[in-house]
Every structure is written in C-alpha cells, then in structure tokens.
Amino acid sequence: QVQLVESGGGLVQPGGSLRLSCAASGSISRLNAMGWYRQAPGKERELVATITSGGSTNYADSVKGRFTISRDTPKNTVYLRMTSLKPEDTAVYYCNADLEAWGTSLRDYWGQGTQVTVSS
C-alpha cells in the first residue's frame, strides 16, 4: 500500500517562510516525477512546482523566485521551500508522485494535503 504523507504546513505571517515535506512509502518499484499542487477555496487545483527524477524543475509563474522544490530520492521525499509568502499563497497543498508500486502500473498518487495559511 503506497502512501504520500505531507507535513510542514501551518499559519505564517506575510513575508514568512515554510518548508513542506512529502514522504512516499510502501512497495514502490519506480519513482518518477514528484510535485506540489495547491487548491484555494472556490478555485481549481493548480500546479505549484514539479521535479523530475533527474532533477529538472518547473514552477508556476506566481511562485518563481520564492519557492524551491527539491527531492531526496533515496528517502522517497520531496520538499518545497516557500519564502516571501503572500496571503494569496493560502491554500491546501497537495503532494503528487508518478510512481509504480510492485505489481501495478505507473500512475499518479496524491497525499491528503496540508493547509498553508498566510495571514497577518
């Protein structure tokens, strides 16, 4: 049974920083791209950042220069360092991974989400 578990969310002041972590566990045979998405109330889920198994990254324009995605592949973990946070960054942040579990085919897995609230 594969699980993705996010951590690190919380309440921060505008201009503050947070580091989100997501660890994938279970019978994983192949771990490809990982990423972070977010969804604010009344809005569609949107891409925040992705990182391939080779380390190539992609960011939404709204977070470029402020957020940094990284991964520790041996630990099956992806991180999102968020700085200069703005109220509009408030959302539930979801971890995503493209992976194969033993005995299955490649597909997307999602974490439960972690709340990030930026407010003064």
Side-chain angles (χ1 to χ4, degrees):
Q1 186 76 264
V2 172
Q3 284 188 306
L4 273 61
V5 180
E6 302 101 333
S7 63
L11 174 65
V12 297
Q13 299 290 318
S17 300
L18 283 175
R19 188 194 192 204
L20 305 183
S21 299
C22 172
S25 62
S27 56
I28 299 169
S29 61
R30 182 182 177 91
L31 180 60
N32 296 318
M34 303 184 76
W36 291 94
Y37 296 74
R38 67 187 183 186
Q39 187 168 24
K43 296 184 178 181
E44 296 181 354
R45 186 174 298 187
E46 64 177 353
L47 181 147
V48 176
T50 60
I51 184 167
T52 69
S53 60
S56 297
T57 59
N58 182 48
Y59 297 92
D61 288 341
S62 60
V63 306
K64 286 181 179 177
R66 298 189 297 120
F67 292 9
T68 302
I69 189 170
S70 61
R71 66 189 288 163
D72 186 340
T73 299
K75 296 182 179 179
N76 296 331
T77 300
V78 63
Y79 306 94
L80 185 69
R81 176 65 174 174
M82 305 183 293
T83 63
S84 301
L85 283 162
K86 305 174 181 179
E88 49 263 46
D89 294 318
T90 296
V92 177
Y93 284 70
Y94 296 92
C95 177
N96 170 265
D98 297 324
L99 61 83
E100 292 178 359
W102 284 106
T104 71
S105 59
L106 179 69
R107 75 169 184 88
D108 283 338
Y109 287 80
W110 292 91
Q112 296 297 315
T114 185
Q115 178 71 47
V116 172
T117 302
V118 185
S119 177
S120 60

